Amino acid sequence: MLTPQGEFELQRVPHNPQLQAWDAADLYLLKHIDESRLLSRQCRIMLVNDSFAALSVALADYSPTMVNDSFLAEQALSKNLIFNGYAPDLVDFNTGIDLPRHEFDLILIKIPKSIALLEHQLYSLRSSIGFETRVIAAGMTRSIHSSTLELFETILGPTTTSLAWKKARLIHVMRDQSLNQGQSPFPDCFVVEAGREFTICNHANLFSRKGLDNGSRLLIENIPISEHYQKIVDLGCGNGILGLIAASLNPQAGLLFTDESYSAIASAQLNFKAAYTGNREADFRVTDCLQGVDENSIDLVLNNPPFHQQHSLGDTIAWQMFVEARRVLKTGGELWLVGNRHLAYHAKLKKIFGNCTQVAGNRKFVVLKALKR
Ligand SMILES: C[S@@+](CC[C@H](N)C(=O)[O-])C[C@H]1O[C@@H](n2cnc3c(N)ncnc32)[C@H](O)[C@@H]1O
């Protein structure tokens, strides 16, 4: 990546040589802060939603703070710092669940895919913005809508946009300190009826935050029951809905919830605690798929795999999830997943497990089962 701050080598996590680890919005931001001479030695910089650490690495000499909900982004940060000759802890990592309480001189925000996450972040950022703080956001023009600009206007203050450059745009925000009303509406909750009522609360960045996803619903209607399940994993758990219901149907089983999103794990923890008021054990792990989970230790893996990472679509992560599910399953253990019919996950499962059965289906989704032999 060529920038006014230097030339850097960057990789995505997970590694994908076909996809670049930075975009024109990163380059536009770095060009603008150089041309406007916004950097000084003592500059305290916060970088929000820097997915693959392009900004963090380019500005590493200023020891910035990176705010990101993603464990993969955290991994990209240390990997790319090392690649470029920096110490992996040179940049502070913050999950965004509790932002640093002090003020910053420069806050750079990449527009996230989720508008709810942006809303939550703008409310949280209020306490980090002083009279001298410069706030600049950036994104590709296709992800900046009038509703995006309205959020900045109503939560932080007067907002202007730059001309487009290589299909990217900058958003300049003046903090109006008198705008103090309102607060983040997250986490927000809905109720799911599945034999009993489960209250499902969701932090801002959660999948299907407003209600039960139709794919998850089909899997929930088919969750298997067996007295032999000792350990069940909800892989890519989001708010934990699959694991919560599996726990109720299999009362003897221990539960493990994994997700790469810090706010997903926080939500799953919240929901499990509310459903089982302290009388049921469960582990919660922020990790990449099933990294750190022992081989041959699990009886049942439940999964509704993701089909995008940030703004790009793909099945790399789904494939990785299936491979890792096989690794952690005991012989005779089962992976049950739901997916869009057109994604043809059965072909992948057949390659990885050597078998695959369709358990249920409707016009849009299928529930598939693969057995570790
Ligand atoms: C389609 S959502 C399903 C959420 C939930 N299980 C449900 O059914 O509502 C996929 C989930 O996978 C998570 N995820 C994406 N990449 C991941 C990875 N590399 N490791 C673990 N979880 C991941 C996402 O954060 C998201 O919560």
Side-chain angles (χ1 to χ4, degrees):
M1 177 178 75
L2 269 174
T3 72
Q5 291 77 18
E7 190 177 334
F8 306 96
E9 191 182 331
L10 300 168
Q11 277 189 10
R12 284 184 169 235
V13 172
H15 181 48
N16 185 340
Q18 267 124 44
L19 294 175
Q20 203 174 261
W22 67 94
D23 61 15
D26 291 313
L27 300 180
Y28 199 176
L29 262 178
L30 292 168
K31 179 166 105 70
H32 174 78
I33 59 176
D34 179 67
E35 287 169 358
S36 312
R37 303 194 186 288
L38 294 180
L39 297 171
S40 64
R41 259 301 113 218
Q42 309 302 328
C43 196
R44 294 162 304 172
I45 306 176
M46 187 198 280
L47 305 168
V48 185
N49 308 323
D50 182 21
S51 302
F52 304 107
L55 299 172
S56 304
V57 170
L59 300 174
D61 288 338
Y62 301 87
S63 299
T65 297
M66 172 178 176
V67 175
N68 206 303
D69 182 42
S70 160
F71 177 78
L72 297 183
E74 188 178 6
Q75 291 205 317
L77 174 64
S78 45
K79 184 171 166 178
N80 285 325
L81 282 170
I82 293 170
F83 262 168
N84 291 280
Y86 292 109
D89 56 358
L90 188 59
V91 174
D92 257 356
F93 181 81
N94 180 290
T95 66
I97 292 178
D98 291 306
L99 281 186
R101 289 265 150 231
H102 60 86
E103 286 179 10
F104 286 79
D105 301 302
L106 182 60
I107 299 180
L108 304 179
I109 307 168
K110 289 292 296 294
I111 301 296
K113 190 170 163 50
S114 153
I115 186 111
L117 176 62
L118 181 64
E119 180 179 5
H120 176 72
Q121 289 175 331
L122 296 184
Y123 277 114
S124 310
L125 281 172
R126 278 178 170 175
S127 56
S128 301
I129 303 175
F131 289 105
E132 303 293 327
T133 310
R134 292 289 296 263
V135 182
I136 310 170
M140 300 308 290
T141 45
R142 63 171 182 273
S143 45
I144 300 178
H145 312 283
S146 49
S147 54
T148 320
L149 301 175
E150 258 170 52
L151 270 189
F152 282 95
E153 289 266 355
T154 50
I155 301 173
L156 293 184
T159 298
T160 52
T161 53
S162 70
L163 292 174
W165 177 81
K166 295 188 176 181
K167 297 191 179 153
R169 212 178 266 284
L170 300 183
I171 301 172
H172 298 276
V173 193
M174 296 277 297
R175 173 77 177 114
D176 174 354
Q177 300 285 352
S178 71
L179 267 185
N180 283 317
Q181 328 73 306
Q183 57 181 18
S184 168
F186 307 104
D188 57 354
C189 306
F190 59 86
V191 172
V192 172
E193 173 62 52
R196 52 170 276 204
E197 283 191 347
F198 292 89
T199 300
I200 304 299
C201 294
N202 298 273
H203 282 282
N205 198 22
L206 269 276
F207 168 78
S208 204
R209 187 180 47 73
K210 290 189 178 153
L212 187 58
D213 167 64
N214 287 332
S216 316
R217 184 187 305 279
L218 187 64
L219 183 49
I220 284 166
E221 286 164 3
N222 290 282
I223 285 183
I225 302 175
S226 163
E227 60 190 25
H228 300 301
Y229 296 150
Q230 290 163 0
K231 192 87 191 206
I232 300 176
V233 176
D234 183 346
L235 164 59
C237 63
N239 55 31
I241 183 73
L242 302 177
L244 280 180
I245 294 173
S248 139
L249 296 172
N250 295 281
Q252 78 294 341
L255 267 293
L256 170 63
F257 294 83
T258 76
D259 204 291
E260 73 91 30
S261 151
Y262 282 93
S263 60
I265 289 296
S267 304
Q269 231 159 349
L270 195 70
N271 295 330
F272 195 85
K273 211 166 152 199
Y276 297 105
T277 50
N279 56 7
R280 190 82 189 260
E281 288 280 308
D283 292 325
F284 299 86
R285 199 172 298 182
V286 178
T287 187
D288 182 6
C289 297
L290 293 164
Q291 225 177 59
V293 179
D294 288 344
E295 239 174 77
N296 303 319
S297 61
I298 306 295
D299 301 285
L300 173 67
V301 175
L302 297 172
N303 182 222
N304 179 2
F307 34 86
H308 62 75
Q309 186 185 14
Q310 310 302 337
H311 295 281
S312 50
L313 295 166
D315 56 8
T316 321
I317 293 179
W319 177 266
Q320 188 188 339
M321 284 182 163
F322 305 161
V323 170
E324 291 197 24
R326 186 173 184 284
R327 179 183 65 78
V328 303
L329 282 170
K330 297 174 185 164
T331 304
E334 302 152 33
L335 165 63
W336 287 58
L337 66 85
V338 66
N340 260 284
R341 198 176 266 287
H342 73 84
L343 292 172
Y345 286 146
H346 63 275
K348 288 189 171 52
L349 293 178
K350 275 201 177 135
K351 264 197 197 141
I352 297 168
F353 286 80
N355 67 86
C356 172
T357 322
Q358 181 175 325
V359 180
N362 57 29
R363 233 164 35 86
K364 196 162 172 207
F365 297 101
V366 283
V367 173
L368 304 173
K369 168 187 170 182
L371 199 67
K372 180 168 173 182
R373 295 205 172 107

